[in-house]
Amino acid sequence: RGLWALGAPFIILGGIYGGVFSPTEAAAVACIYAIFVTRFVFRELSWGDIIDAAASTTRFTAQILIVVACAGVFSWLLTVNQVPATLVSWLQSLGVGPLTFLLLVNVLLLLVGCVLDPLSAILLLTPLLIPVVKALGIDTVHFGIIMTVNLAIGLFTPPFGINIFVAQSVLGVDLKSIYRGILPFVVLYLIALALITYVPSISLAGVWLLMN
């Protein structure tokens, strides 16, 4: 029974790395494969259920695209009003160094990750932070990895991490039990984040290897 489920990542990764289709096209192919398996192999969904699932997906996607559209307008307003340049000048006047800046960014992103999904947070904050990152001489690849790890931690950080409520709704476990189970992992991830932040070679070793 599990072989049919394993077919999805095989099709997605095999198709992408084999040059058969792009990642976006891989998602569409995976959906067709899922429809075929659930309708004709397992017979768990009727055509009506499949249409309902497609309608729910459309509504969810529309919500994300509204955020993306607003983020685009927000980025344009920041650029037109020279907010990034003003922020860079302000930080330079305060004498904030790269280490202090990264500490402040870590705190900011951990808080933002608790209430926003990673895509929305990246679209909203990247235009604001990247000019400061470049002005302070921080490697953009290193910063990108820091940002990704921060937002991933925020997804399961109490009390508002989105994945906490997803787990609660799917598993039916009370939130107190989930919080207790998550805390050790949060501590481990924060230690890993500190190492990634202040030991750039961890993030950049692969880049250096490929470039050389």
Side-chain angles (χ1 to χ4, degrees):
R1 182 179 178 86
L3 287 176
W4 288 101
L6 292 174
F10 176 78
I11 291 173
I12 295 171
L13 297 176
I16 293 173
Y17 289 110
V20 180
F21 36 65
S22 67
T24 302
E25 293 166 345
V29 173
C31 287
I32 299 299
Y33 175 77
I35 291 173
F36 171 79
V37 172
T38 54
R39 180 68 184 90
F40 298 107
V41 179
F42 295 147
R43 298 182 180 179
E44 294 174 339
L45 297 178
S46 64
W47 287 114
D49 294 329
I50 293 172
I51 293 174
D52 290 340
S56 299
T57 302
T58 302
R59 288 192 295 270
F60 180 72
T61 305
Q63 294 172 6
I64 295 176
L65 291 178
I66 290 173
V67 175
V68 171
C70 293
V73 175
F74 179 71
S75 300
W76 178 79
L77 288 173
L78 289 178
T79 304
V80 168
N81 291 284
Q82 298 184 341
V83 173
T86 304
L87 181 60
V88 170
S89 301
W90 178 65
L91 287 174
Q92 289 176 338
S93 67
L94 293 176
V96 175
L99 298 181
T100 305
F101 172 75
L102 289 176
L103 176 62
L104 296 174
V105 166
N106 280 338
V107 175
L108 171 65
L109 293 176
L110 286 172
L111 294 175
V112 169
C114 291
V115 294
L116 274 183
D117 65 280
L119 176 61
S120 303
I122 290 170
L123 289 171
L124 287 170
L125 296 176
T126 300
L128 184 62
L129 295 175
I130 284 297
V132 184
V133 168
K134 291 181 178 179
L136 293 174
I138 300 170
D139 190 283
T140 51
V141 174
H142 180 212
F143 181 75
I145 293 174
I146 292 172
M147 192 169 190
T148 303
V149 174
N150 265 295
L151 296 176
I153 296 173
L155 285 174
F156 64 90
T157 303
F160 302 117
I162 295 173
N163 283 350
I164 294 175
F165 299 100
V166 173
Q168 195 273 336
S169 62
V170 172
L171 302 176
V173 181
D174 63 279
L175 287 176
K176 290 183 179 179
S177 299
I178 294 176
Y179 287 159
R180 286 196 298 269
I182 283 174
L183 287 178
F185 293 96
V186 172
V187 172
L188 289 174
Y189 267 82
L190 290 176
I191 294 172
L193 175 62
L195 291 173
I196 291 170
T197 301
Y198 295 112
V199 186
S201 58
I202 295 176
S203 303
L204 300 177
V207 177
W208 294 336
L209 181 64
L210 291 174
M211 294 296 291
N212 296 324

